[in-house]
Amino acid sequence: MNKVHYLNSHVEKFREDIKITIDVENIGDLTHYCNLHIENKKVTKIFTECFHKKETYKDLIKKLPDTVERLGLFYLTTVYWIAYTCHYHNDKFDEAMGHCLDSIDMDVPLLNSPHFCKKVYYYLNPIDEVKC
């Protein structure tokens, strides 16, 4: 057993099961991922408006400025999809997250993990095969 696997196993024993809740009044707070970049007020405004208008994550992606870096795009799409599904389709949230996590082979999501966000982004936006 390598050290990384041992550490991850040890950490999971103490990880609490936290129910995800969405604070609609402060939905813009989800756009702040300070460990990845500083706040962009324009992105926060777009994110908040899309959420309150019940627009899909694909609409959000279209409205985001081109200056949003790739990692930010992965994060914003992931957080928006989770918040939207949790808040507007609460009865289907567990099922939707279950399908997502099964398809990317992950049991315990770390929502602030760039690796997790990238996997969810490609789960939501699968790459189509090019047919000649």
Side-chain angles (χ1 to χ4, degrees):
M1 180 181 332
N2 64 28
K3 293 178 183 177
V4 174
H5 179 71
Y6 173 76
L7 180 60
N8 285 341
S9 298
H10 184 71
V11 169
E12 284 187 25
K13 289 179 186 176
F14 300 102
R15 189 174 281 157
E16 297 178 21
D17 290 335
I18 300 172
K19 183 146 177 85
I20 297 175
T21 57
I22 304 301
D23 181 9
V24 180
E25 297 303 318
N26 298 317
I27 196 71
D29 290 346
L30 293 177
T31 64
H32 306 181
Y33 45 113
C34 58
N35 60 333
L36 303 175
H37 93 4
I38 39 181
E39 178 188 5
N40 182 335
K41 295 199 184 281
K42 183 177 180 182
V43 169
T44 302
K45 183 178 179 184
I46 292 169
F47 187 93
T48 305
E49 287 176 358
C50 286
F51 188 83
H52 288 300
K53 291 179 181 177
K54 297 183 181 180
E55 296 181 20
T56 67
Y57 66 89
K58 290 186 178 187
D59 294 329
L60 172 71
I61 293 171
K62 290 176 190 171
K63 291 182 179 184
L64 289 173
D66 294 335
T67 56
V68 175
E69 71 280 353
R70 206 172 177 157
L71 188 57
L73 184 64
F74 295 157
Y75 174 81
L76 291 169
T77 304
T78 302
V79 171
Y80 187 84
W81 176 72
I82 291 171
Y84 184 90
T85 308
C86 182
H87 184 71
Y88 292 116
H89 304 286
N90 199 12
D91 55 333
K92 298 177 184 175
F93 178 72
D94 291 335
E95 182 182 336
M97 279 300 290
H99 287 304
C100 175
L101 295 175
D102 287 344
S103 73
I104 62 175
D105 297 327
M106 184 175 286
D107 296 325
V108 181
L110 299 174
L111 297 180
N112 60 351
S113 164
H115 186 64
F116 173 71
C117 293
K118 183 178 178 184
K119 285 184 171 190
V120 172
Y121 179 84
Y122 284 112
Y123 166 76
L124 294 172
N125 301 291
I127 300 171
D128 295 331
E129 291 183 20
V130 178
K131 296 181 180 178
C132 297

